[in-house]
Amino acid sequence: AFFVPKGAKSLRLDVHYNNLSGTKAEPDLSGVEVCVTKTKRPNVAATFMGFAGIPFIAPGQETDIVGTCNVKVTKPVFLMAESPHAHKLAKHMKFEVKSGGKTTVLHDAPFAFDGQVATPLKEQVELKNGDQVITTCHFKNDTNQLVTFGENTGNEMCFNFATYYPMGALSCSG
């Protein structure tokens, strides 16, 4: 379950469009369904946006941007899903957890801007204080412009949005 606060403007849906055909208008068949209950669930989940690297990519450069999260938890935290996110210059994404001397790779695959999805993990992964979560984004800047972090698709991002529970028990530094 995800917590949704009461009141007006308590739920926000961001929809990003990429007009693949370059036409003035493209039909949209998107939809969203929200199921609400007053019965509290035993675990309330949230999406964590702190697994990130900050892109700074010189013209013609091919490089890895790496973000390392030094995990801090206030109670046991469990990752349930991962969702790599970048823009048009990203070629490959990797998401891994280092815990107790062991590295667990949760995602390691080519990246396609037009195919971004959230994927449930095969098994939940417990995060503990001192663990590291590493997000690696491989970029190829084939433009003649410096590309930096930004929300526009002409800029870049290097995120792995992860669904976890319990809500509010996870933070990181680094």
Side-chain angles (χ1 to χ4, degrees):
F2 278 91
F3 174 75
V4 179
K6 291 181 181 179
K9 299 182 182 180
S10 64
L11 181 64
R12 175 180 153 178
L13 175 66
D14 284 335
V15 179
H16 299 254
Y17 291 95
N18 183 25
N19 189 331
L20 297 174
S21 64
T23 61
K24 290 184 180 178
E26 226 176 81
D28 177 23
L29 301 175
S30 301
V32 65
E33 184 176 346
V34 177
C35 180
V36 180
T37 179
K38 291 184 179 186
T39 306
K40 289 191 176 186
R41 300 297 188 230
N43 297 306
V44 178
T47 300
F48 190 72
M49 297 175 51
F51 302 138
I54 305 299
F56 188 91
I57 313 157
Q61 183 181 31
E62 187 166 351
T63 189
D64 286 337
I65 301 298
V66 179
T68 301
C69 167
N70 297 304
V71 172
K72 293 181 182 179
V73 299
T74 56
K75 56 179 83 171
V77 165
F78 299 89
L79 296 180
M80 302 182 325
E82 52 86 21
S83 180
H85 177 77
H87 294 160
K88 295 181 177 184
L89 299 180
K91 302 301 178 197
H92 194 272
M93 305 287 271
K94 189 173 184 180
F95 186 50
E96 55 194 329
V97 175
K98 290 186 177 183
S99 178
K102 179 183 172 192
T103 300
T104 303
V105 177
L106 304 178
H107 181 95
D108 189 3
F111 179 79
F113 178 72
D114 299 319
Q116 299 183 55
V117 297
T119 306
L121 299 176
K122 292 178 184 172
E123 293 182 24
Q124 294 181 10
V125 174
E126 183 176 359
L127 295 180
K128 299 174 183 150
N129 284 319
D131 289 353
Q132 289 188 317
V133 178
I134 300 166
T135 301
T136 304
C137 305
H138 184 80
F139 292 98
K140 183 176 183 184
N141 183 357
D142 53 5
T143 75
N144 60 0
Q145 302 291 318
L146 172 67
V147 177
T148 60
F149 177 85
E151 293 184 9
N152 185 293
T153 54
N155 300 118
E156 269 303 341
M157 292 184 168
C158 175
F159 282 106
N160 197 313
F161 301 122
T163 305
Y164 78 99
Y165 71 92
M167 177 180 75
L170 174 62
S171 65
C172 66
S173 63

